[in-house]
Amino acid sequence: MTEVKKHPTPLLDELEKGPWPSFVKELKRSADKPMVNDLLGQLERSFEEKVGHWKHGGLVGVKGYGGGVIGRYSDLPKEFPELAEFHTMRVNHPSGWFYTSDALRTLCDIWDEHGSGLTNFHGATGDVILLGAKTAEIEPTFAKLTEAGFDLGGSGSAMRTPSCCVGPARCEWACYDTLNACNDVTHQYQDEMHRPAFPYKFKIKFAGCPNDCIASIARADLSVIGTWRDEIQVDQAEVRAYAADSVDIQKEVCDLCPTKCVTWKDATLTVDDADCVKCMHCINVLPKALRPGKDRGAVFLIGGKAPIVGGALLSSVLVPFVKMEPPYEDLKELVNAIWELWAENANNRERVGEFIQRIGLGNFLEQIGLEPKPEMVAHPRTNPYVFFDPEEETESERSAEK
Amino acid sequence: MSTTIETAKRITDIGPPRYDRFLPPVIQRNYGTWKYHENPRAGVLVHVAESGEKLFTVRAGTPRLLNVKTVREFAALADKYCNGYLRFTSRHNIEFLLSDPAKVDPLIDEVQKLGFPVGGTGNAISAIVHTQGWIHCHSAATDASAVVKALMDELYPRFTHMDLPARLRIAFACCLNMCGAVHCSDIAILGVHTKPPRVDATGLSKACEIPTLVASCPTGAIRPSETRTGSVPVDVEEAQCMYCGNCYTVCPAMKINNAESDGISIWVGGKVSNARTEPKFSKLVIPFLPNNPPRWPEVVDAVTKLVDLYARNGRKHERMSEWVERIGWPRFFRMTGIPFTKQHIDDFKGAGETYKRSAQLRQI
């Protein structure tokens, strides 16, 4: 290998100092790779000029897919020729981000050979991100990945790579099998993920309980959040042990319950489950003593998204309770109905949350065949501009017909 | 003929590998039957199954951008201490999964020697979820990795110690696209453009569809030019533009990046968890701080002060949002000394919902 003339990086060098692990050190570990050297050079330039130097657009990808690869080009290709093409590949992660060392090494070997050797574990979608592929390397990288049992994730106006929390693999609060549901849905909808045919992106995220460690309510178009509908399981001996140890049960548990449904009297903890909103606080504070109920499932919420285009939205309740059992027919039927309506009727780059705001949740429910339920709203409407169906017969019209 | 053979060999749509291949035996044996967990020290979790078996997790922070050489070192540590089993979290942390408690301390020593801090569990700051910034993104109004690195250097003890009132989730996005849900974080750091796009006429005619471009603007600020004089086929109604950059994403000729006027805003009091209070958005507290590479001292100073103030004043189990709501926003602004300006008052759709509509005010 010929000696690479290294770009000086006095500004970036400052970020090698300090106790937190340094991304500059990560870059410099491969400074002898021409691509990484040019990346260091261009990044230093961005630090000097306070502006980025990347262009987007252009069609890059693997044969037969419309997504999974994000085109990226330097706008300074003369100065940093190794960045003239520097695309991102999204590799669909295994549910829950579990790996064996062998699987990780396989990914590393493929990426070291065909790309920059720079990665993110993981990107915001949940995928393994391989940063910096030349166009000609994309297909060979893909071939090696699939041979090793990995596939690309989603990008563009498609179903995006679904992701989930650690779930029953390591959490006593998982109210359904998030890993299996995520894996099942991802496999079911490979076509919708790899070949963008939607108005815009559609994200599905699986959280095992209302702590929502996967942030599904904020960033998934369809948020599947575990919950239960019977009684919180209480081990009184363990509650007493917490009380004897360090926890002020009244102050830390009862007083902070949002519906004040937990009481602590005569060394006994009582939960009025009819008033419990499954917020998880008492369970979080007393994990050895309290557990979610046994009749477990999930609540489906719809429409979460970040600000672009029409403003940020949190997902809102669509189905208050579903038993989440394979093959997840309830979920898939609903997803299919939503996609059919939204894909046909939404504007370009209109997420499903924005679409619902435009047509109204009531109309949306009617179109996908769900009954309105009070759980779906924070409160009923406060304005009197209520629509009635002009086709519907009045009482007197009906009796006249008789 | 050759094409047919090639197509036959090509593997597609196989989806992700099954997760259960990667689960350590202790998890396979106790899948779905975990009973409780403990967090004996920062970065260490112990999960106990109904069977009595225990799983030990050692969590360490990473810079998100990882060289394959570093990933191989993680793999080697997993081989030495965890029979090869490890995972990552949704916040860029790595987790080593052990069944032998005797190996926990030696593993922690080695992880720390490699330069990765063990912590991020319980009432601590976990690693900052962040985006690509100038390393790889076209629409970045700032860098991501650098600000996160500079900030975590300062907040390091908050990662390695669990001494906050509750967990504190910080997230960083380098533009309004907000890859990674920063808009519901205890503290959100957000790159912002503050000037309308400059139209590159040549690029526009080459690369962009005008109707798509016009439709991309959420406020209708982009219109086909009425006169069609000159070579620019669209006008930008500058007073209507709020610099979201959506036009730039659909049309690279709408130059939104601007070295002089791009910078960072700070948001506070969002959460995604349902615990106690409902999930909520973060709210704007600092509309603009300058881009000041390589270490963004203004941003580091502002965020560190917010964290310290919360650490001193929040009550046990109270998230940032719950603390601010208890004391009220007016007192928050007085305590922080952050000036309250016109920019803090919402003027997008639904803005009226955010006005104070009662006479319930604390003493001024």
Side-chain angles (χ1 to χ4, degrees):
Chain A
M1 193 193 266
T2 52
E3 186 71 15
V4 176
K5 188 171 178 294
K6 293 198 175 137
H7 297 289
T9 54
L11 290 171
L12 287 172
D13 294 350
E14 286 298 312
L15 292 161
E16 287 186 84
K17 301 169 188 167
W20 189 256
S22 165
F23 71 99
V24 176
K25 282 186 186 163
E26 293 296 313
L27 290 168
K28 286 195 171 179
R29 289 193 80 174
S30 291
D32 53 346
K33 271 197 166 192
M35 273 180 118
V36 179
N37 182 45
D38 271 3
L39 182 63
L40 281 159
Q42 181 176 301
L43 189 59
E44 179 76 12
R45 177 79 162 263
S46 283
F47 275 44
E48 287 161 10
E49 297 176 355
K50 305 185 189 183
V51 72
H53 282 291
W54 293 105
K55 292 193 294 183
H56 60 295
L59 288 174
V60 282
V62 300
K63 203 163 52 180
Y65 282 21
V69 184
I70 323 291
R72 201 65 85 215
Y73 313 83
S74 171
D75 70 1
L76 302 168
K78 288 210 175 75
E79 284 145 277
F80 305 105
E82 289 289 325
L83 307 184
E85 296 162 353
F86 199 79
H87 313 309
T88 305
M89 297 183 77
R90 291 184 178 162
V91 180
N92 199 152
H93 62 291
S95 279
W97 298 294
F98 285 92
Y99 296 91
T100 55
S101 51
D102 285 342
L104 279 186
R105 274 188 289 262
T106 302
L107 288 173
C108 289
D109 292 348
I110 294 169
W111 190 230
D112 212 5
E113 185 188 344
H114 290 282
S116 71
L118 301 173
T119 69
N120 293 150
F121 279 92
H122 294 81
T125 50
D127 296 284
V128 181
I129 303 294
L130 307 180
L131 282 173
K134 293 186 178 173
T135 310
E137 293 297 329
I138 288 170
E139 194 64 42
T141 309
F142 177 65
K144 292 249 174 83
L145 286 168
T146 50
E147 206 180 308
F150 284 90
D151 199 347
L152 298 186
S155 67
S157 296
M159 181 182 85
R160 295 299 185 83
T161 310
S163 63
C164 63
C165 68
V166 73
R170 198 198 55 194
C171 185
E172 66 271 26
W173 299 329
C175 292
Y176 70 98
D177 190 339
T178 54
L179 292 92
N180 190 51
C182 179
N183 186 68
D184 186 298
V185 164
T186 311
H187 281 269
Q188 171 90 28
Y189 297 117
Q190 286 289 293
D191 196 37
E192 287 79 358
M193 190 165 81
H194 288 143
R195 295 167 194 87
F198 288 159
Y200 203 10
K201 62 185 93 168
F202 193 96
K203 300 183 178 182
I204 308 176
K205 293 193 189 291
F206 299 90
C209 84
N211 282 327
D212 198 0
C213 289
I214 194 81
S216 70
I217 201 163
R219 59 202 189 118
D221 297 274
L222 182 64
S223 321
V224 181
I225 301 181
T227 188
W228 65 96
R229 56 181 175 183
D230 56 349
E231 296 80 38
I232 287 182
Q233 303 178 64
V234 184
D235 181 336
Q236 297 292 352
E238 290 291 353
V239 180
R240 280 175 213 125
Y242 275 114
D245 181 25
S246 59
V247 182
D248 183 335
I249 305 287
Q250 180 61 42
K251 201 173 156 192
E252 291 185 50
V253 179
C254 306
D255 292 355
L256 296 178
C257 170
T259 61
K260 302 289 178 284
C261 71
V262 185
T263 47
W264 172 240
K265 205 178 164 196
D266 304 329
T268 303
L269 188 95
T270 314
V271 182
D272 179 358
D273 286 280
D275 266 346
C276 170
V277 288
K278 285 90 182 168
C279 87
M280 291 297 291
H281 172 73
C282 59
I283 297 174
N284 290 342
V285 177
L286 309 172
K288 269 176 111 163
L290 304 184
R291 306 171 73 184
K294 290 177 176 164
D295 186 7
R296 298 175 177 190
V299 48
F300 297 168
L301 303 96
I302 186 92
K305 62 182 285 294
I308 304 290
V309 180
L313 295 170
L314 291 165
S315 290
S316 69
V317 173
L318 189 63
V319 185
F321 188 87
V322 182
K323 293 297 274 188
M324 279 290 284
E325 277 148 16
Y328 311 106
E329 284 305 329
D330 292 337
L331 175 67
K332 289 172 191 170
E333 272 173 33
L334 188 69
V335 165
N336 292 338
I338 292 168
W339 283 351
E340 199 171 321
L341 177 69
W342 170 66
E344 279 297 309
N345 296 284
N347 296 327
N348 184 32
R349 288 169 67 77
E350 186 176 47
R351 295 277 288 270
V352 73
E354 292 163 327
F355 173 68
I356 292 171
Q357 300 245 304
R358 179 161 63 81
I359 69 163
L361 178 61
N363 292 327
F364 179 79
L365 295 172
E366 207 166 68
Q367 302 271 338
I368 62 169
L370 284 182
E371 289 296 319
K373 294 206 166 114
E375 284 82 2
M376 296 171 179
V377 294
H379 55 75
R381 76 161 71 221
T382 56
N383 69 66
Y385 306 137
V386 186
F387 286 101
F388 291 92
D389 186 353
E391 300 298 313
E392 200 165 298
E393 291 180 336
T394 62
E395 196 59 39
S396 55
E397 280 166 342
R398 263 195 295 276
S399 46
E401 270 176 29
K402 276 179 197 167
Chain B
M1 213 38 205
S2 66
T3 321
T4 322
I5 292 161
E6 213 175 86
T7 313
K9 276 200 299 197
R10 205 161 172 274
I11 308 167
T12 68
D13 298 283
I14 56 170
R18 272 200 69 92
Y19 54 94
D20 36 11
R21 286 171 46 198
F22 302 138
L23 300 176
V26 60
I27 288 185
Q28 295 195 14
R29 286 193 298 272
N30 297 288
Y31 194 90
T33 61
W34 297 102
K35 195 174 175 198
Y36 68 91
H37 75 276
E38 289 174 317
N39 185 189
R41 55 190 275 207
V44 179
L45 300 169
V46 186
H47 285 82
V48 183
E50 302 276 7
S51 67
E53 280 198 281
K54 288 182 178 178
L55 170 71
F56 299 85
T57 299
V58 172
R59 179 182 295 178
T62 82
R64 181 177 189 253
L65 182 83
L66 292 176
N67 195 304
V68 289
K69 291 176 184 172
T70 304
V71 179
R72 287 195 189 108
E73 286 170 352
F74 290 152
L77 282 181
D79 282 340
K80 188 168 172 188
Y81 294 99
C82 319
N83 293 318
Y85 294 100
L86 72 173
R87 74 177 288 268
F88 293 86
T89 74
S90 59
R91 306 192 82 87
H92 321 315
N93 299 296
I94 185 161
E95 288 185 339
F96 295 93
L97 306 166
L98 306 88
S99 35
D100 181 358
K103 289 183 177 168
V104 169
D105 284 332
L107 169 64
I108 289 174
D109 278 350
E110 285 213 46
V111 171
Q112 287 171 336
K113 270 190 205 124
L114 270 185
F116 296 91
V118 172
T121 58
N123 294 341
I125 292 179
S126 190
I128 299 179
V129 165
H130 62 284
T131 52
Q132 304 290 15
W134 290 335
I135 283 177
H136 209 230
C137 187
H138 65 284
S139 62
T142 183
D143 191 42
S145 311
V147 187
V148 166
K149 159 71 177 151
L151 185 56
M152 284 311 288
D153 278 343
E154 211 52 47
L155 295 174
Y156 190 86
R158 303 274 188 207
F159 182 88
T160 54
H161 294 76
M162 304 187 290
D163 51 8
L164 288 167
R167 51 202 61 218
L168 185 80
R169 296 290 174 256
I170 306 181
F172 184 106
C174 47
C175 83
L176 272 58
N177 275 304
M178 288 191 186
C179 308
V182 313
H183 57 303
C184 294
S185 307
D186 292 294
I187 300 178
I189 309 167
L190 176 66
V192 286
H193 305 287
T194 64
K195 297 270 189 232
R198 288 154 296 163
V199 185
D200 163 17
T202 331
L204 193 95
S205 52
K206 267 198 292 194
C208 307
E209 274 181 47
I210 304 300
T212 312
L213 170 60
V214 168
S216 75
C217 179
T219 63
I222 302 172
R223 294 163 198 168
S225 166
E226 278 176 30
T227 58
R228 298 266 175 173
T229 50
S231 55
V232 183
V234 295
D235 289 329
V236 179
E237 188 63 53
E238 299 209 339
Q240 238 165 287
C241 173
M242 39 53 162
Y243 338 112
C244 73
N246 196 43
C247 58
Y248 179 63
T249 295
V250 303
C251 168
M254 305 298 284
K255 302 286 181 199
I256 191 77
N257 296 331
N258 186 320
E260 297 305 313
S261 54
D262 289 349
I264 280 178
S265 58
I266 311 286
W267 306 66
V268 151
K271 71 197 272 280
V272 292
S273 149
N274 283 271
R276 299 170 304 284
T277 52
E278 293 187 343
K280 58 194 84 176
F281 292 126
S282 312
K283 285 88 180 171
L284 179 67
V285 296
I286 304 179
F288 186 82
L289 293 169
N291 276 331
N292 197 354
R295 296 195 78 99
W296 276 262
E298 295 85 354
V299 177
V300 172
D301 180 61
V303 175
T304 309
K305 279 183 179 152
L306 287 169
V307 173
D308 289 346
L309 201 65
Y310 161 68
R312 281 199 305 274
N313 293 282
R315 291 178 185 163
K316 198 171 181 187
H317 304 301
E318 205 169 47
R319 290 284 289 263
M320 189 97 179
S321 59
E322 294 161 322
W323 165 57
V324 178
E325 279 162 21
R326 175 166 58 79
I327 64 168
W329 284 102
R331 190 185 293 167
F332 171 85
F333 278 95
R334 279 196 292 278
M335 282 174 88
T336 55
I338 297 168
F340 187 83
T341 67
K342 182 182 167 187
Q343 267 117 16
H344 290 93
I345 303 173
D346 196 352
D347 49 14
F348 197 55
K349 58 189 175 192
E353 299 290 319
T354 67
Y355 302 164
K356 178 75 171 175
R357 289 193 166 95
S358 86
Q360 293 187 359
L361 297 171
R362 285 176 178 76
Q363 192 176 21
I364 292 165

